[in-house]
Amino acid sequence: MGTDLHELLRSLRVWDPAVTELPAFDPAVAPAEPLPLFARWFADAVAAGQTEPHTMSLATADADGVPDVRIVMLHGADADGWSFATHAGSRKGRHLAARPYAALVFYWPVLGRQVRVRGPVAVAPAEEAQSDLHARSAGALAAALTGRQSEPLSSPDELARASEAAWDRAGREPDAPVASWTLYRLEPDEVEFFQGEARRRHVRLAYRRSEEGWSRLLLWP
């Protein structure tokens, strides 16, 4: 007998109180800009034991406006923007070349929180991309050296051979350059913080940027 997907879905519960803490969030005392609040929430997620809190959904669109989304890693967040990296020739790299605008979503279910970020995306200088790559693990360098991201693959054996060669080079040349490796920075126009609440009175605080700076407003859940 196959799985009844609908029955399985109906059996699931969100934010089980046995494993989830829904902290109170008072938007009235939130900081004037979103970055300090993001840093605080990120630290809270780490302290709460959230698995891989630095992973995020990255949404882009191609030249025709057709959207796509995938999970990537946050490489940093500062006054210059939220950073992530990939090969310039990957699907997301091609999307960003055609439409340099993106959206991010972080979801930390252990606290019933999510953060949404969207805005224009710029390419960081090449030397910063290489510095970022070489500050990461040997595995990250090997994956970057393997290259050909998003291209058709003829067989798993082809990948295994390319990966073994890349791991070997990463071990011999920990500073090996990867010309296609690109560091992107999303400079947000809008950042939204969502805090779940047991009676579904969720708190949504949106920061929006204008020429005058950041403004804040509450949204209906």
Side-chain angles (χ1 to χ4, degrees), residues 151-162:
E151 295 182 18
L153 176 67
S154 64
S155 71
D157 287 342
E158 182 186 24
L159 172 60
R161 290 191 297 271

Side-chain angles (χ1 to χ4, degrees), residues 30-45:
E33 297 188 356
L35 184 58
L37 183 56
F38 176 82
R40 186 187 312 160
W41 276 28
F42 186 87
D44 289 347

Side-chain angles (χ1 to χ4, degrees), residues 20-172:
T20 306
E21 177 187 359
L22 295 177
F25 173 45
D26 182 0
V29 298
E33 297 188 356
L35 184 58
L37 183 56
F38 176 82
R40 186 187 312 160
W41 276 28
F42 186 87
D44 289 347
V46 173
Q50 177 64 58
T51 304
E52 299 180 355
H54 57 321
T55 57
M56 59 188 184
S57 298
L58 166 66
T60 58
D62 66 15
D64 296 322
V66 179
D68 207 344
V69 66
R70 74 290 287 165
I71 303 296
V72 300
M73 289 175 54
L74 177 69
H75 286 214
D78 54 29
D80 293 324
W82 273 249
S83 301
F84 57 93
T86 189
H87 291 282
S90 68
R91 178 179 292 182
K92 50 188 172 293
R94 297 194 303 271
H95 283 189
L96 291 168
R99 289 175 175 260
Y101 200 90
L104 310 173
V105 179
F106 298 84
Y107 180 45
W108 301 314
V110 70
L111 294 172
R113 287 176 170 174
Q114 62 176 300
V115 181
R116 302 167 61 198
V117 187
R118 64 180 180 180
V121 177
V123 174
E127 59 271 19
E128 292 188 28
Q130 296 303 305
S131 177
D132 173 79
L133 175 60
H134 296 129
R136 301 177 68 201
S137 67
L141 176 58
L145 286 167
T146 302
R148 302 182 65 181
Q149 189 175 44
S150 301
E151 295 182 18
L153 176 67
S154 64
S155 71
D157 287 342
E158 182 186 24
L159 172 60
R161 290 191 297 271
S163 177
E164 285 299 323
W167 273 94
D168 180 67
R169 186 181 177 194
R172 290 183 287 103

